[in-house]
């Protein structure tokens, strides 16, 4: 596969910007993702989350980008781009089938202000316009109401429930699947 490029120009609106992760972001990423809500819905391992996991993730994300599988971006304040609010990614990019998955997380201090919705809209628009994808998928735990609301606000349609879909903390977790096609983004 061909490496995926970071969005150029960087994705931004009047509130949110999406930019590549930097090594200097590691402490903020660790602190933000260490929040109990992030861990509850997004940390599948039984072991404690550490800063070493953040470093390893950054390296794996770059390998994935170079292999054409994913692009991971920091969600930041457009007026202070060193201030990390969370992360957003397009992953499982399948050029043959013209589809991918989209995901996001926010630190506690960034929630409840429409930041996730803005970030998802920016990234989804880029996926359709620049990557020319025919379909995006967003998944979350059935009890992750905040993520479900973001998906619905952005125009994703709930398509189903995958029972016992993912290994998660020594058990299996169900997953709600949402889909978005070009022209449906709100």
């Amino acid at each position: 596969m061909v490496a995926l490029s970071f969005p150029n120009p960087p994705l931004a609106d009047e509130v949110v910007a999406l930019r590549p992760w930097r090594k200097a972001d590691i402490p903020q990423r660790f602190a933000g993702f260490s929040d109990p809500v992030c861990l509850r819905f997004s940390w599948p391992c039984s072991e404690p989350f550490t800063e070493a996991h953040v470093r390893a993730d950054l390296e794996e994300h770059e390998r994935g980008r170079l292999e054409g599988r994913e692009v991971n971006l920091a969600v930041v304040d457009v007026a202070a781009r060193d201030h990390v609010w969370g992360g957003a990614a397009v992953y499982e990019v399948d050029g043959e089938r013209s589809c991918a998955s989209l995901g996001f997380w926010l630190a506690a201090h960034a929630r409840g202000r429409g930041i996730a919705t803005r970030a998802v809209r920016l990234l989804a628009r880029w996926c359709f316009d620049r990557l020319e994808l025919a379909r995006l998928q967003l998944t979350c735990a059935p009890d992750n109401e905040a993520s479900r609301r973001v998906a619905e606000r952005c125009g994703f349609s709930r398509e189903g429930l995958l029972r016992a879909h993912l290994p998660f903390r020594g058990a299996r977790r169900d997953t709600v699947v949402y889909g978005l096609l070009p022209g449906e983004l709100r």
Side-chain angles (χ1 to χ4, degrees):
M1 285 198 118
V2 177
L4 291 171
S5 298
F6 289 111
N8 187 17
L11 304 175
D13 65 13
E14 59 278 357
V15 176
V16 172
L18 304 178
R19 63 156 172 81
W21 286 101
R22 305 171 184 154
K23 287 188 181 187
D25 297 328
I26 290 173
Q28 288 185 82
R29 184 170 173 175
F30 174 69
F33 198 83
S34 292
D35 174 73
V37 173
C38 285
L39 295 176
R40 175 181 171 200
F41 293 119
S42 301
W43 182 245
C45 303
S46 297
E47 66 189 79
F49 178 67
T50 67
E51 209 168 282
H53 290 111
V54 174
R55 285 189 197 91
D57 280 350
L58 288 177
E59 291 173 12
E60 176 55 32
H61 294 326
E62 181 60 7
R63 275 192 298 277
R65 187 185 71 77
L66 294 173
E67 293 171 3
R69 295 182 283 118
E70 61 187 78
V71 174
N72 284 268
L73 301 161
V75 176
V76 300
D77 182 338
V78 74
R81 294 184 187 214
D82 289 334
H83 185 92
V84 175
W85 283 335
V90 57
Y91 61 99
E92 296 176 349
V93 175
D94 184 336
E96 257 182 54
R97 291 182 23 223
S98 189
C99 61
S101 293
L102 192 147
F104 64 93
W105 65 271
L106 286 182
H109 66 273
R111 292 186 202 125
R113 301 186 301 179
I115 292 168
T117 300
R118 288 173 173 276
V120 168
R121 285 178 179 146
L122 286 167
L123 191 53
R125 190 169 295 113
W126 179 76
C127 287
F128 289 133
D129 293 349
R130 299 291 187 228
L131 300 183
E132 299 179 341
L133 296 179
R135 173 186 165 78
L136 281 173
Q137 180 171 284
L138 189 150
T139 63
C140 62
D143 58 338
N144 189 339
E145 292 180 32
S147 289
R148 290 183 11 230
R149 283 193 306 269
V150 168
E152 291 162 4
R153 273 194 300 273
C154 291
F156 283 80
S157 296
R158 182 177 168 145
E159 296 179 334
L161 176 72
L162 302 175
R163 296 178 303 143
H165 178 237
L166 295 172
F168 204 83
R169 298 195 185 158
R172 306 275 313 170
R173 186 191 87 186
D174 293 350
T175 299
V176 177
V177 178
Y178 287 87
L180 184 71
L181 305 179
E184 295 178 342
L185 182 62
R186 294 194 301 249

